[in-house]
Amino acid sequence: MMCARLLLGPGGSGLGLRASSEGLLRGAGAGCVAGRQQQRQASSAEAALKKTPLFDFHRDYGGKMVGFAGWSMPVQYKDSHIASHMHTREHCSIFDVSHMLQTKVHGKDRVKFMESLVVADIAELKDNQGTLSLFTNEKGGIIDDLIVTKTNQGYLYVVSNAGCADKDSVHMKARMAELKAAGFDVDLEFLDEALIALQGPTMSRVLQEGIKEDLNNLTFMTSTLATVFGVPDCRVTRCGYTGEDGVEISIPKTRVVELTEKLLANSEVKLAGLGARDSLRLEAGLCLYGNDIDETTTPVEATLVWTIGKRRRQNKDFPGADIIIPQIKAKTARKRVGLVTTGPPIRQHTPVLSLDGKVIGEVTSGCPSPCLKKNIAMAYVDAEFAKNGTAIQVEIRKKAVPATISKMPFVPTKYYSG
């Protein structure tokens, strides 16, 4: 669900850190001056980046900070990207996701408000249950992906993408104003809280030591308010972006360092950055907004039809329904698929070819899979080539490399269902 492409290398894999300005401009005359100017510009750009409440903590723990969606975020720590990735698959890791937009929707018409913007059936959710959904536009495109939780506290809790925060907030405010003008009761509260994700197979054992609620009763996509390791007023939601069992914890920003340190006191837990987060989500077949979905892709093309509630399909009462609903039956010209190859790494914008060399699509995300020891990718291809097992090719450095359409997730997900 990370919005905006990781500006860390081709395909957003987090593996190709940008070169610094040092040494880029060499030579006689103006070279040194230009180099110093570029350094100052880089320093100015870094200073302009927003910082999460864990910024100093990241640096103290050896985090390599990079710009992402307007924020200064750790791409990795002292461990290698692969070591961090595998630790999350085998133990558990903490990810700082405080850059995400957290919103509470208040008022007796809060469900009506949210359903006027998204494709999910919010009304059918049980108390403290959440769902992945999509903001869609009138053309059927995806404005953003988000998680909406129907709490038992009289509000909806919404988490959406950092890089889309400005447009999401404008979008929600505009709709709120329309409904208020029509006499409906709805209000928005944008939260200034920290958000951390604890992800991995030992998450439950680690977290249970510091929470009185029985985590066996907190299933995937459910949420609760709790005191966590002595920190009150935390919202704990069983979800994540890695394919592993995990939680996201919304916490007062003044206490997030304290909680993170208490979690790290357990030897099972390590810090992880954007690089591992990206390869983990790709193995899990999860979309990255701005790469794999955007305002030019519909939920049907993106194989996200499951996010559209049954009642919403029948009523055709969400933005873009007149475009999206017919696509469900008539199919689409292109489809999001998985690719696997043992050749060179596949990066974003890599052309996808048929066996006779015709361009049939383009890669949207790609990286080497630490778990599979193969190269994996997502792409949009012509629908006739979208069947799992179809032999195709990808064009890498002007050479056709054999590849195969693969089902996703590439690595089985381990969400906790009870």
Side-chain angles (χ1 to χ4, degrees):
M1 182 177 162
M2 282 193 297
C3 185
R5 184 160 45 92
L6 289 180
L7 299 180
L8 313 173
S13 69
L15 303 180
L17 292 174
R18 280 185 173 177
S20 71
S21 58
E22 299 175 53
L24 291 182
L25 296 176
R26 291 195 178 102
C32 293
V33 174
R36 287 194 295 271
Q37 288 176 339
Q38 196 165 354
Q39 286 178 347
R40 285 196 293 271
Q41 290 170 354
S43 298
S44 176
E46 183 178 350
L49 293 172
K50 290 178 281 188
K51 297 174 175 61
T52 77
L54 284 168
F55 175 79
D56 290 332
F57 179 89
H58 294 313
R59 297 183 70 169
D60 290 344
Y61 276 78
K64 297 178 181 178
M65 310 303 289
V66 298
F68 173 70
W71 293 80
S72 181
M73 300 296 292
V75 65
Q76 69 179 75
Y77 296 85
K78 294 176 183 177
D79 289 342
S80 70
H81 161 258
I82 292 176
S84 184
H85 178 112
M86 296 307 298
H87 183 87
T88 309
R89 287 277 183 249
E90 297 165 359
H91 304 279
C92 65
S93 300
I94 298 173
F95 299 81
D96 181 9
V97 289
S98 301
H99 57 318
M100 307 285 278
L101 178 65
Q102 300 180 72
T103 309
K104 289 181 179 179
V105 186
H106 301 276
K108 64 182 179 63
D109 295 310
R110 58 190 179 274
V111 172
K112 177 182 179 65
F113 163 80
M114 188 54 60
E115 288 194 348
S116 73
L117 298 173
V118 303
V119 301
D121 189 339
I122 306 301
E124 77 162 0
L125 294 175
K126 299 175 183 177
D127 281 350
N128 296 320
Q129 181 184 16
T131 185
L132 177 71
S133 193
L134 308 169
F135 285 132
T136 48
N137 60 33
E138 294 300 335
K139 295 181 179 180
I142 300 171
I143 296 172
D144 196 9
D145 59 313
L146 63 154
I147 291 177
V148 183
T149 301
K150 184 180 180 182
T151 77
N152 64 352
Q153 306 291 312
Y155 61 84
L156 302 177
Y157 172 61
V158 180
V159 180
S160 53
N161 284 306
C164 300
D166 290 343
K167 74 171 182 177
D168 286 354
S169 58
V170 168
H171 188 54
M172 288 189 283
K173 286 177 182 177
R175 184 57 177 150
M176 178 183 69
E178 291 173 357
L179 289 182
K180 277 180 170 289
F184 293 99
D185 177 26
V186 62
D187 282 291
L188 294 170
E189 178 187 359
F190 297 105
L191 305 184
D192 186 20
E193 305 272 275
L195 187 66
I196 59 173
L198 183 64
Q199 302 283 302
T202 60
M203 176 283 298
S204 185
R205 176 156 53 88
V206 169
L207 188 62
Q208 192 64 77
E209 294 178 3
I211 188 171
K212 70 177 183 179
E213 288 77 6
D214 186 351
L215 292 176
N216 289 323
N217 298 325
L218 189 72
T219 55
F220 182 59
M221 296 304 290
T222 62
S223 183
T224 188
L225 284 176
T227 295
V228 182
F229 283 96
V231 181
D233 303 319
C234 295
R235 176 159 292 282
V236 181
T237 305
R238 203 149 193 169
C239 64
Y241 194 54
T242 64
E244 294 294 331
D245 185 18
V247 293
E248 292 184 355
I249 306 171
S250 180
I251 177 175
K253 63 182 183 180
T254 56
R255 306 291 297 273
V256 67
V257 171
E258 173 190 344
L259 176 57
T260 304
E261 288 178 337
K262 287 179 177 178
L263 290 169
L264 283 173
N266 191 311
S267 61
E268 283 290 312
V269 183
K270 289 189 175 184
L271 295 167
L274 293 175
R277 191 167 182 244
D278 194 50
S279 54
L280 288 159
R281 69 92 191 170
L282 187 52
E283 286 188 341
L286 301 175
C287 293
L288 173 63
Y289 192 89
N291 275 38
D292 311 307
I293 50 176
D294 58 29
E295 295 192 32
T296 71
T297 54
T298 71
V300 182
E301 292 174 323
T303 62
L304 294 173
V305 172
W306 61 270
T307 64
I308 307 173
K310 182 178 179 181
R311 174 177 61 85
R312 308 303 306 281
R313 297 187 204 188
Q314 293 172 342
N315 295 345
K316 301 180 182 179
D317 60 351
F318 56 86
D322 290 342
I323 303 293
I324 295 168
I325 298 302
Q327 287 185 349
I328 296 176
K329 293 182 179 180
K331 308 303 180 183
T332 56
R334 63 174 185 160
K335 184 179 179 182
R336 180 174 65 93
V337 298
L339 303 179
V340 173
T341 178
T342 55
I346 313 171
R347 304 301 189 192
Q348 188 187 23
H349 302 309
T350 297
V352 182
L353 313 175
S354 63
L355 293 182
D356 60 5
K358 176 187 174 184
V359 176
I360 58 169
E362 183 177 275
V363 170
T364 55
S365 289
C367 73
S369 165
C371 288
L372 300 179
K373 305 296 190 293
K374 298 177 181 178
N375 297 307
I376 60 174
M378 287 186 202
Y380 283 85
V381 301
D382 294 348
E384 63 186 285
F385 296 93
K387 185 178 179 180
N388 290 336
T390 301
I392 47 118
Q393 302 178 103
V394 287
E395 185 180 305
I396 301 176
R397 302 187 191 100
K398 298 183 179 181
K399 293 183 179 180
V401 177
T404 305
I405 302 293
S406 171
K407 68 177 182 178
M408 293 185 286
F410 298 100
V411 173
T413 55
K414 300 173 185 174
Y415 306 129
Y416 175 73
S417 57

